Amino acid sequence: MNDYKNMPDEQLVQLSLNNQDYFYYLMKRYEIKLLRYIKRLTTVSQEEAKDIIQEIFIKVYRNLNGFNPKLKFSSWIYRIAHNEIINQYRKTKLCSSIIPLNIEDEANLIDAINDSIEIDGAYENLETAERVRKALSELPDKYREILVLRYLEDKSYEEISDILRKPPGTVATQINRAKASFKKIAWRHQLDKELIK
Amino acid sequence: MADISKDILEKIKKEKMRPYPKQYFLLKRSVVWAVFGLSIFLGSIACAITLFQLRYAQWDLYKHLTHSLTEFVLLVIPFFWLTFLLGFTWLAYYYFRRTERGYQYTAIWIVLSSIALSIIGGGLLYSTGLSEKLEFVFQENLPFYKKLQESKQKVWMSPEHGLLAGKIIKIISDQKVELKDLKGSIWIIDIADTIWRGRLRPVKDLKIKILGKMQAQNQFKADEIRPWKRRRGSGKKHYFRCIEKK
């Protein structure tokens, strides 16, 4: 088992093609990450998130031969997850008004969006936290997702470009627009007085 | 807590799922590239015919239409083929974006590159003479296309600006013929000092285009007479070599 822990994804992909059992280790590697990603972008319950992840892993397995080794496996699996979330969204309108980001996620996001935002202390105020949550949920889906990928999933511009299938320049532009859009919404919610120095 | 990955693996095994074969993805990629290539090729044909039509648009006529150069240019531009070019460019863009790394390029880059490829391809097809052959084939086999091209000839119904077109209905003498124009009016044409292009001779039922001067109501002095349209296979050298009887 320890051998597989250090094995690169690409090698596990090759092994999975010959023996399904190896696919387990690949899934294990991404199970928590993708569950978290789904929860960050949607309002589904834990059970629904598990259903989505099952769909994702099955699609990944069926398409293993289509994986291009020039791409990072993590980018490829996130792309499949992104597409599956969109599919589910179209079916059931998963993204409702409030996105259930946890306090730590919100803090990380805001911290990354604007260095000048003061989050310590402000988060002790639950009312403020609720307003931050609302502000985030007001962001258009495309902006919310790009911020989540960049600042919560810690993906590089190139990786985001591979995941969302957009040119790297467009990714950079959208990140800037998403940040600007969040600042505007925060101002509207009068969060600037409490969060921004 | 349940092991989701384990459950999924069991489902995969139970339902005997297997990864799609490599050939499936190879075929998928090949189809995408093939459609992209085909779009560029069809765009090249549209470009080739556009070049051909622009080349033989008789630009010298604009001198006779100084009051409306815009109208002349609008008549000359082959919108029909430009629309096709845009359509095939969109198709090329759509499929290029679906190639493995196509998403890394911006829309404007893909569109401009596709147009550039179509222009290069169109230039090559034009130089081989294929555009002329295709133009003839379309005009012979597609009535709507023939009608569309002929509607462009309405520029010739401008006698006050020295342009007239129609069919010779009577040879009055060596110096005069009777012509029925495109609207059905009868004209007496003075052909005494006329230059006949394309080895034309005054023949009854011959459809012609005339450059000259309106002398009076239904009287026109011809300076130059051109054939109504070119014939296929005549090539650039024989562009005006045609006597069309209708």
Side-chain angles (χ1 to χ4, degrees), chain A residues 39-82:
Chain A
K39 300 282 279 174
R40 278 168 172 164
L41 293 176
T42 68
T43 54
V44 294
S45 65
Q46 186 69 12
E47 279 310 305
E48 287 169 322
K50 283 179 186 170
D51 287 344
I52 296 173
I53 209 156
Q54 178 173 297
E55 287 297 314
I56 293 168
F57 281 139
I58 287 176
K59 277 190 181 160
V60 168
Y61 180 70
R62 301 294 298 251
N63 289 285
L64 277 182
N65 271 318
F67 167 61
N68 178 2
K70 286 178 192 163
L71 206 69
K72 276 178 84 173
F73 180 79
S74 66
S75 299
W76 187 65
I77 201 169
Y78 265 84
R79 181 192 291 174
I80 291 174
H82 161 79

Side-chain angles (χ1 to χ4, degrees), chain B residues 185-219:
Chain B
S185 303
I186 308 295
W187 292 77
I188 303 295
I189 312 293
D190 179 350
I191 55 167
D193 302 311
T194 301
I195 301 167
W196 291 79
R197 296 284 181 195
R199 297 181 185 177
L200 290 180
R201 290 291 172 267
V203 180
K204 190 174 175 252
D205 289 335
L206 179 66
K207 214 169 171 187
I208 52 172
K209 299 171 186 170
I210 311 168
L211 281 105
K213 203 174 176 184
M214 189 176 163
Q215 291 178 316
Q217 189 65 30
N218 293 77
Q219 285 189 28

Side-chain angles (χ1 to χ4, degrees), chain A residues 21 24 31 62 68 162 165, chain B residues 3 5 13 20 97 103:
Chain A
D21 291 326
Y24 173 78
E31 185 186 300
R62 301 294 298 251
N68 178 2
D162 291 334
R165 288 185 64 90
Chain B
D3 187 340
S5 298
K13 283 181 175 175
Y20 297 125
R97 282 299 296 262
Y103 61 87

Side-chain angles (χ1 to χ4, degrees), chain B:
Chain B
M1 188 183 158
D3 187 340
I4 308 171
S5 298
K6 199 177 169 189
D7 293 345
I8 297 170
L9 185 65
E10 276 170 13
K11 186 181 163 77
I12 287 172
K13 283 181 175 175
K14 193 179 162 193
E15 294 181 15
K16 293 188 173 124
M17 288 182 202
R18 295 294 308 157
Y20 297 125
K22 269 187 180 170
Q23 291 83 345
Y24 166 76
F25 296 99
L26 190 68
L27 181 71
K28 219 169 143 182
R29 283 175 208 142
S30 307
V31 166
V32 169
W33 277 109
V35 178
F36 170 74
L38 186 69
S39 308
I40 295 294
F41 177 70
L42 294 173
S44 299
I45 288 179
C47 239
I49 298 179
T50 301
L51 286 172
F52 176 74
Q53 291 192 353
L54 288 176
R55 168 72 179 79
Y56 293 111
Q58 302 183 41
W59 290 94
D60 55 324
L61 292 187
Y62 92 92
K63 288 178 285 186
H64 296 265
L65 294 164
T66 45
H67 72 296
S68 181
L69 181 62
T70 314
E71 187 194 354
F72 182 76
V73 170
L74 285 174
L75 274 166
V76 159
I77 292 175
F79 289 108
F80 180 83
W81 289 108
L82 285 178
T83 308
F84 268 84
L85 176 64
L86 287 179
F88 291 128
T89 301
W90 180 84
L91 206 63
Y93 163 77
Y94 182 86
Y95 278 92
F96 185 79
R97 282 299 296 262
R98 268 142 196 84
T99 59
E100 275 191 83
R101 307 297 277 176
Y103 61 87
Q104 293 202 323
Y105 301 89
T106 58
I108 192 79
W109 189 93
I110 300 172
V111 167
L112 290 179
S113 303
S114 300
I115 291 175
L117 283 173
S118 293
I119 291 173
I120 294 167
L124 290 172
L125 291 175
Y126 171 75
S127 65
T128 62
L130 185 76
S131 48
E132 187 187 8
K133 286 175 189 161
L134 285 172
E135 171 76 3
F136 177 79
V137 169
F138 288 135
Q139 286 209 30
E140 287 300 304
N141 298 298
L142 302 173
F144 81 93
Y145 185 74
K146 189 177 182 183
K147 209 172 170 185
L148 182 77
Q149 296 308 312
E150 283 181 355
S151 71
K152 288 187 175 184
Q153 307 294 351
K154 69 181 180 187
V155 70
W156 286 91
M157 280 309 296
S158 190
E160 63 277 16
H161 294 108
L163 300 172
L164 188 65
K167 193 162 68 175
I168 297 174
I169 53 169
K170 192 177 173 187
I171 311 291
I172 300 169
S173 69
D174 284 353
Q175 301 193 345
K176 278 193 171 46
V177 294
E178 204 171 276
L179 181 115
K180 191 177 184 182
D181 74 12
L182 300 178
K183 288 178 183 168
S185 303
I186 308 295
W187 292 77
I188 303 295
I189 312 293
D190 179 350
I191 55 167
D193 302 311
T194 301
I195 301 167
W196 291 79
R197 296 284 181 195
R199 297 181 185 177
L200 290 180
R201 290 291 172 267
V203 180
K204 190 174 175 252
D205 289 335
L206 179 66
K207 214 169 171 187
I208 52 172
K209 299 171 186 170
I210 311 168
L211 281 105
K213 203 174 176 184
M214 189 176 163
Q215 291 178 316
Q217 189 65 30
N218 293 77
Q219 285 189 28
F220 199 85
K221 181 173 168 42
D223 294 330
E224 184 181 325
I225 293 180
R226 295 179 181 185
W228 174 248
K229 71 170 191 177
R230 58 193 169 271
R231 277 227 179 254
R232 183 208 171 193
S234 51
K236 293 168 196 171
K237 287 179 189 170
H238 310 285
Y239 173 53
F240 292 120
R241 189 187 294 170
C242 74
I243 297 174
E244 184 178 354
K245 288 186 178 178
K246 193 174 178 182

